[in-house]
Amino acid sequence: MRGTARTAAAAAVILLAAGCGTGHGTGPGPHRGGTLIAAALRAPATGAPAAGPVITGPPVISAAQAQRLVRALLARAQLPPGARPRPGRPPAALAQAVEVESGRPSAMLHRLWRVAEPASAAYAFVTKHAPAGMRWIGSGRSSYRGTVTEQDVTFQLSRLPAGVAAAGLSMTVVPASAPHSAPGASVLRADAQVIWYPPRSAAEYVPATMHAVTVTATEFGQRPSTLTKTVTTPSVVRRLAAMLNGTHAATAGAFVSCPMERASYRVAFAVSPRANPYLVARATLCPDTQVTVRGHGQPALVTPPGLLNLLQRLTRVSGA
């Protein structure tokens, strides 16, 4: 039976099978890890529309950069004195990562160490020694018949690099099993994970040739209603386009929590008020915005900060 004591921030971290491999990264130490993180994020790629003037999209990183970053996170693990690498397969209690955040694309690595002290002491050490540049987000434990069998703590980068959706490090400690270890020893597993934003579709950028936006707000409730407003004010059209052009493609398979909605918004860009829409975005209180271009579905986008507030002001329909 697993008993947990986690903060609300850690509740978003859920169990999911996600391509975990054994990491053979560099040894512990925040300085080397920091150097690797800086190297991993040099010269990020950007998205651009297929035709017309180049529109600079949000920064993205490659799979190779994500692998370097995950190795850098693993190198930041703070180890109890006397910890030694443990080769071979992990013990049954550490067969998989205790905490895995949902979302793709994702890269994960892990390493094991033998610790010549009880699991409680090893756990106390890793809990009190946050890796450089990371913050504590939660902890938990498993127990069987009143005996603690596993304890874990999870950290995340305090500031996410551009193009990275999540970057974390989990430390899990279990008592070592005899006869392979000395009495009172323990085994420590560290799991590093990076989730990065995928490249955007080249088609789902709003080109500068769009001069009209038609916003359709649908209000739910006992008396559903719909309001439509067409905007041609250049500054407003450019602002809406910049919001959508500047946001990331949403990660796939992520846990999404959508609060109770009172309204949804359809935002249609066209070259003129009477022209057929080129790009249509559908936004609600959910964190992802659905996009179609000339009627063809595109990857969902992360809902830009401030988009819903602007749409509410334009239509006077509140989605909250």
Side-chain angles (χ1 to χ4, degrees):
M1 178 179 180
R2 177 174 173 78
T4 60
R6 300 189 184 281
T7 63
V13 181
I14 67 172
L15 295 176
L16 178 77
C20 180
T22 301
H24 300 284
T26 59
H31 302 295
R32 179 173 291 182
T35 301
L36 285 173
I37 287 178
L41 300 173
R42 292 192 183 111
T46 57
V54 174
I55 300 175
T56 301
V60 296
I61 67 173
S62 66
Q65 289 173 313
Q67 290 290 344
R68 291 197 293 270
L69 179 53
V70 82
R71 289 196 295 269
L73 292 178
L74 197 57
R76 291 191 174 195
Q78 298 299 299
L79 305 178
R84 295 290 182 267
R86 184 186 186 279
R89 293 185 177 183
L94 295 177
Q96 61 183 9
V98 173
E99 298 297 336
V100 178
E101 190 164 353
S102 64
R104 300 187 305 273
S106 173
M108 292 190 68
L109 290 175
H110 75 262
R111 292 187 70 185
L112 299 168
W113 291 271
R114 292 190 296 262
V115 182
E117 59 185 9
S120 58
Y123 175 71
F125 180 92
V126 297
T127 301
K128 295 176 181 177
H129 293 78
M134 306 190 80
R135 60 185 178 88
W136 177 92
I137 64 164
S139 58
R141 65 181 182 178
S142 299
S143 60
Y144 179 73
R145 294 183 177 180
T147 300
V148 175
T149 58
E150 170 271 325
Q151 291 177 287
D152 60 86
V153 60
T154 300
F155 305 95
Q156 283 191 348
L157 278 179
S158 300
R159 296 182 62 183
L160 291 175
V164 175
L169 180 70
S170 294
M171 309 285 284
T172 307
V173 181
V174 302
S177 301
H180 303 290
S181 301
S186 56
V187 180
L188 169 65
R189 171 172 171 151
D191 289 274
Q193 181 186 19
V194 171
I195 300 173
W196 68 99
Y197 294 108
R200 286 180 51 149
S201 161
E204 63 184 338
Y205 289 89
V206 182
T209 52
M210 301 295 108
H211 301 296
V213 176
T214 299
V215 181
T216 302
T218 301
E219 191 169 17
F220 308 126
Q222 293 182 345
R223 296 182 178 180
S225 61
T226 299
L227 182 147
T228 299
K229 181 175 183 178
T230 298
V231 179
T232 56
T233 305
S235 60
V236 177
V237 176
R238 287 196 300 266
R239 185 177 178 186
L240 286 168
M243 283 183 171
L244 292 172
N245 288 344
T247 193
H248 285 283
T251 57
F255 176 78
V256 176
S257 177
C258 295
M260 184 69 71
E261 298 171 356
R262 292 179 53 188
S264 67
Y265 303 89
R266 179 183 184 271
V267 186
F269 292 84
V271 294
S272 67
R274 296 184 179 182
N276 291 328
Y278 169 76
L279 183 147
V280 176
R282 298 178 185 273
T284 65
L285 287 179
C286 290
D288 295 349
T289 294
Q290 307 302 313
V291 176
T292 59
V293 175
R294 292 196 176 103
H296 297 284
Q298 305 295 321
L301 300 177
V302 176
T303 299
L307 175 63
L308 291 179
N309 288 337
L310 178 56
L311 296 176
Q312 290 168 7
R313 291 199 301 271
L314 290 173
T315 62
R316 298 183 184 275
V317 174
S318 174

PDB file of all heavy atoms in Angstrom, residues 45-68:
ATOM      1  N   ALA A  45      15.909  25.792 -32.742  1.00  0.00           N
ATOM      2  CA  ALA A  45      15.221  25.970 -34.018  1.00  0.00           C
ATOM      3  C   ALA A  45      13.934  26.751 -33.793  1.00  0.00           C
ATOM      4  O   ALA A  45      13.408  26.826 -32.695  1.00  0.00           O
ATOM      5  CB  ALA A  45      14.903  24.606 -34.636  1.00  0.00           C
ATOM      6  N   THR A  46      13.384  27.345 -34.850  1.00  0.00           N
ATOM      7  CA  THR A  46      12.115  28.051 -34.757  1.00  0.00           C
ATOM      8  C   THR A  46      11.227  27.623 -35.902  1.00  0.00           C
ATOM      9  O   THR A  46      11.689  27.157 -36.936  1.00  0.00           O
ATOM     10  CB  THR A  46      12.316  29.579 -34.823  1.00  0.00           C
ATOM     11  OG1 THR A  46      13.007  29.916 -36.036  1.00  0.00           O
ATOM     12  CG2 THR A  46      13.115  30.078 -33.635  1.00  0.00           C
ATOM     13  N   GLY A  47       9.912  27.797 -35.701  1.00  0.00           N
ATOM     14  CA  GLY A  47       8.962  27.444 -36.741  1.00  0.00           C
ATOM     15  C   GLY A  47       8.726  28.619 -37.667  1.00  0.00           C
ATOM     16  O   GLY A  47       8.961  29.765 -37.334  1.00  0.00           O
ATOM     17  N   ALA A  48       8.214  28.348 -38.867  1.00  0.00           N
ATOM     18  CA  ALA A  48       7.935  29.399 -39.831  1.00  0.00           C
ATOM     19  C   ALA A  48       6.837  28.922 -40.759  1.00  0.00           C
ATOM     20  O   ALA A  48       6.670  27.731 -40.978  1.00  0.00           O
ATOM     21  CB  ALA A  48       9.195  29.742 -40.643  1.00  0.00           C
ATOM     22  N   PRO A  49       6.034  29.831 -41.325  1.00  0.00           N
ATOM     23  CA  PRO A  49       4.988  29.431 -42.249  1.00  0.00           C
ATOM     24  C   PRO A  49       5.574  28.914 -43.545  1.00  0.00           C
ATOM     25  O   PRO A  49       6.721  29.181 -43.887  1.00  0.00           O
ATOM     26  CB  PRO A  49       4.205  30.738 -42.465  1.00  0.00           C
ATOM     27  CG  PRO A  49       5.204  31.816 -42.182  1.00  0.00           C
ATOM     28  CD  PRO A  49       6.099  31.279 -41.111  1.00  0.00           C
ATOM     29  N   ALA A  50       4.780  28.194 -44.296  1.00  0.00           N
ATOM     30  CA  ALA A  50       5.260  27.571 -45.529  1.00  0.00           C
ATOM     31  C   ALA A  50       5.520  28.598 -46.614  1.00  0.00           C
ATOM     32  O   ALA A  50       6.346  28.394 -47.484  1.00  0.00           O
ATOM     33  CB  ALA A  50       4.256  26.525 -46.003  1.00  0.00           C
ATOM     34  N   ALA A  51       4.786  29.694 -46.592  1.00  0.00           N
ATOM     35  CA  ALA A  51       4.933  30.669 -47.666  1.00  0.00           C
ATOM     36  C   ALA A  51       4.766  32.066 -47.091  1.00  0.00           C
ATOM     37  O   ALA A  51       4.261  32.247 -45.993  1.00  0.00           O
ATOM     38  CB  ALA A  51       3.901  30.411 -48.765  1.00  0.00           C
ATOM     39  N   GLY A  52       5.174  33.073 -47.883  1.00  0.00           N
ATOM     40  CA  GLY A  52       5.031  34.445 -47.447  1.00  0.00           C
ATOM     41  C   GLY A  52       6.173  34.860 -46.554  1.00  0.00           C
ATOM     42  O   GLY A  52       7.164  34.142 -46.391  1.00  0.00           O
ATOM     43  N   PRO A  53       6.053  36.053 -45.948  1.00  0.00           N
ATOM     44  CA  PRO A  53       7.115  36.526 -45.055  1.00  0.00           C
ATOM     45  C   PRO A  53       7.340  35.548 -43.903  1.00  0.00           C
ATOM     46  O   PRO A  53       6.420  34.926 -43.399  1.00  0.00           O
ATOM     47  CB  PRO A  53       6.555  37.874 -44.555  1.00  0.00           C
ATOM     48  CG  PRO A  53       5.508  38.262 -45.548  1.00  0.00           C
ATOM     49  CD  PRO A  53       4.932  36.991 -46.066  1.00  0.00           C
ATOM     50  N   VAL A  54       8.597  35.438 -43.510  1.00  0.00           N
ATOM     51  CA  VAL A  54       8.931  34.516 -42.428  1.00  0.00           C
ATOM     52  C   VAL A  54       8.377  35.050 -41.118  1.00  0.00           C
ATOM     53  O   VAL A  54       8.582  36.202 -40.760  1.00  0.00           O
ATOM     54  CB  VAL A  54      10.462  34.343 -42.327  1.00  0.00           C
ATOM     55  CG1 VAL A  54      10.813  33.500 -41.105  1.00  0.00           C
ATOM     56  CG2 VAL A  54      11.002  33.683 -43.590  1.00  0.00           C
ATOM     57  N   ILE A  55       7.631  34.195 -40.423  1.00  0.00           N
ATOM     58  CA  ILE A  55       7.099  34.535 -39.107  1.00  0.00           C
ATOM     59  C   ILE A  55       7.882  33.741 -38.083  1.00  0.00           C
ATOM     60  O   ILE A  55       7.955  32.520 -38.148  1.00  0.00           O
ATOM     61  CB  ILE A  55       5.598  34.207 -39.008  1.00  0.00           C
ATOM     62  CG1 ILE A  55       4.811  34.993 -40.063  1.00  0.00           C
ATOM     63  CG2 ILE A  55       5.073  34.506 -37.619  1.00  0.00           C
ATOM     64  CD1 ILE A  55       3.340  34.644 -40.107  1.00  0.00           C
ATOM     65  N   THR A  56       8.489  34.442 -37.142  1.00  0.00           N
ATOM     66  CA  THR A  56       9.292  33.771 -36.129  1.00  0.00           C
ATOM     67  C   THR A  56       8.389  33.185 -35.061  1.00  0.00           C
ATOM     68  O   THR A  56       7.683  33.905 -34.381  1.00  0.00           O
ATOM     69  CB  THR A  56      10.283  34.749 -35.486  1.00  0.00           C
ATOM     70  OG1 THR A  56      11.125  35.290 -36.505  1.00  0.00           O
ATOM     71  CG2 THR A  56      11.143  34.032 -34.455  1.00  0.00           C
ATOM     72  N   GLY A  57       8.417  31.878 -34.957  1.00  0.00           N
ATOM     73  CA  GLY A  57       7.613  31.206 -33.954  1.00  0.00           C
ATOM     74  C   GLY A  57       8.373  31.048 -32.653  1.00  0.00           C
ATOM     75  O   GLY A  57       9.496  31.526 -32.500  1.00  0.00           O
ATOM     76  N   PRO A  58       7.784  30.377 -31.687  1.00  0.00           N
ATOM     77  CA  PRO A  58       8.440  30.185 -30.392  1.00  0.00           C
ATOM     78  C   PRO A  58       9.619  29.243 -30.515  1.00  0.00           C
ATOM     79  O   PRO A  58       9.654  28.379 -31.396  1.00  0.00           O
ATOM     80  CB  PRO A  58       7.324  29.568 -29.539  1.00  0.00           C
ATOM     81  CG  PRO A  58       6.451  28.867 -30.523  1.00  0.00           C
ATOM     82  CD  PRO A  58       6.476  29.714 -31.763  1.00  0.00           C
ATOM     83  N   PRO A  59      10.621  29.366 -29.668  1.00  0.00           N
ATOM     84  CA  PRO A  59      11.790  28.480 -29.740  1.00  0.00           C
ATOM     85  C   PRO A  59      11.397  27.036 -29.451  1.00  0.00           C
ATOM     86  O   PRO A  59      10.528  26.761 -28.625  1.00  0.00           O
ATOM     87  CB  PRO A  59      12.723  29.013 -28.640  1.00  0.00           C
ATOM     88  CG  PRO A  59      12.195  30.355 -28.287  1.00  0.00           C
ATOM     89  CD  PRO A  59      10.745  30.349 -28.588  1.00  0.00           C
ATOM     90  N   VAL A  60      12.028  26.120 -30.159  1.00  0.00           N
ATOM     91  CA  VAL A  60      11.883  24.693 -29.885  1.00  0.00           C
ATOM     92  C   VAL A  60      13.275  24.088 -29.795  1.00  0.00           C
ATOM     93  O   VAL A  60      14.252  24.677 -30.250  1.00  0.00           O
ATOM     94  CB  VAL A  60      11.062  23.965 -30.977  1.00  0.00           C
ATOM     95  CG1 VAL A  60       9.639  24.487 -31.016  1.00  0.00           C
ATOM     96  CG2 VAL A  60      11.728  24.111 -32.346  1.00  0.00           C
ATOM     97  N   ILE A  61      13.362  22.926 -29.168  1.00  0.00           N
ATOM     98  CA  ILE A  61      14.636  22.222 -29.105  1.00  0.00           C
ATOM     99  C   ILE A  61      14.497  20.893 -29.814  1.00  0.00           C
ATOM    100  O   ILE A  61      13.389  20.406 -30.054  1.00  0.00           O
ATOM    101  CB  ILE A  61      15.106  22.013 -27.644  1.00  0.00           C
ATOM    102  CG1 ILE A  61      14.172  21.058 -26.901  1.00  0.00           C
ATOM    103  CG2 ILE A  61      15.215  23.346 -26.916  1.00  0.00           C
ATOM    104  CD1 ILE A  61      14.672  20.673 -25.516  1.00  0.00           C
ATOM    105  N   SER A  62      15.622  20.300 -30.157  1.00  0.00           N
ATOM    106  CA  SER A  62      15.629  19.018 -30.843  1.00  0.00           C
ATOM    107  C   SER A  62      15.668  17.877 -29.835  1.00  0.00           C
ATOM    108  O   SER A  62      15.926  18.080 -28.643  1.00  0.00           O
ATOM    109  CB  SER A  62      16.845  18.927 -31.765  1.00  0.00           C
ATOM    110  OG  SER A  62      18.045  18.916 -30.985  1.00  0.00           O
ATOM    111  N   ALA A  63      15.452  16.666 -30.329  1.00  0.00           N
ATOM    112  CA  ALA A  63      15.550  15.486 -29.466  1.00  0.00           C
ATOM    113  C   ALA A  63      16.963  15.348 -28.907  1.00  0.00           C
ATOM    114  O   ALA A  63      17.148  14.959 -27.746  1.00  0.00           O
ATOM    115  CB  ALA A  63      15.143  14.236 -30.235  1.00  0.00           C
ATOM    116  N   ALA A  64      17.967  15.667 -29.726  1.00  0.00           N
ATOM    117  CA  ALA A  64      19.352  15.578 -29.250  1.00  0.00           C
ATOM    118  C   ALA A  64      19.607  16.578 -28.127  1.00  0.00           C
ATOM    119  O   ALA A  64      20.284  16.270 -27.137  1.00  0.00           O
ATOM    120  CB  ALA A  64      20.319  15.818 -30.410  1.00  0.00           C
ATOM    121  N   GLN A  65      19.069  17.791 -28.252  1.00  0.00           N
ATOM    122  CA  GLN A  65      19.219  18.779 -27.191  1.00  0.00           C
ATOM    123  C   GLN A  65      18.503  18.326 -25.921  1.00  0.00           C
ATOM    124  O   GLN A  65      18.995  18.524 -24.802  1.00  0.00           O
ATOM    125  CB  GLN A  65      18.676  20.131 -27.648  1.00  0.00           C
ATOM    126  CG  GLN A  65      19.542  20.818 -28.689  1.00  0.00           C
ATOM    127  CD  GLN A  65      18.875  22.066 -29.237  1.00  0.00           C
ATOM    128  OE1 GLN A  65      17.697  22.044 -29.590  1.00  0.00           O
ATOM    129  NE2 GLN A  65      19.629  23.154 -29.299  1.00  0.00           N
ATOM    130  N   ALA A  66      17.331  17.710 -26.086  1.00  0.00           N
ATOM    131  CA  ALA A  66      16.600  17.206 -24.921  1.00  0.00           C
ATOM    132  C   ALA A  66      17.384  16.110 -24.218  1.00  0.00           C
ATOM    133  O   ALA A  66      17.413  16.044 -22.984  1.00  0.00           O
ATOM    134  CB  ALA A  66      15.228  16.693 -25.352  1.00  0.00           C
ATOM    135  N   GLN A  67      18.052  15.241 -24.978  1.00  0.00           N
ATOM    136  CA  GLN A  67      18.859  14.183 -24.373  1.00  0.00           C
ATOM    137  C   GLN A  67      20.027  14.782 -23.596  1.00  0.00           C
ATOM    138  O   GLN A  67      20.361  14.310 -22.499  1.00  0.00           O
ATOM    139  CB  GLN A  67      19.365  13.229 -25.455  1.00  0.00           C
ATOM    140  CG  GLN A  67      18.292  12.352 -26.083  1.00  0.00           C
ATOM    141  CD  GLN A  67      17.751  11.299 -25.134  1.00  0.00           C
ATOM    142  OE1 GLN A  67      18.349  11.005 -24.097  1.00  0.00           O
ATOM    143  NE2 GLN A  67      16.618  10.706 -25.476  1.00  0.00           N
ATOM    144  N   ARG A  68      20.654  15.811 -24.134  1.00  0.00           N
ATOM    145  CA  ARG A  68      21.749  16.451 -23.405  1.00  0.00           C
ATOM    146  C   ARG A  68      21.239  17.117 -22.136  1.00  0.00           C
ATOM    147  O   ARG A  68      21.882  17.087 -21.093  1.00  0.00           O
ATOM    148  CB  ARG A  68      22.456  17.471 -24.307  1.00  0.00           C
ATOM    149  CG  ARG A  68      23.239  16.833 -25.455  1.00  0.00           C
ATOM    150  CD  ARG A  68      24.232  17.819 -26.050  1.00  0.00           C
ATOM    151  NE  ARG A  68      23.576  18.918 -26.725  1.00  0.00           N
ATOM    152  CZ  ARG A  68      23.236  18.916 -28.019  1.00  0.00           C
ATOM    153  NH1 ARG A  68      23.470  17.832 -28.752  1.00  0.00           N
ATOM    154  NH2 ARG A  68      22.676  19.967 -28.566  1.00  0.00           N
TER     155      ARG A  68
END
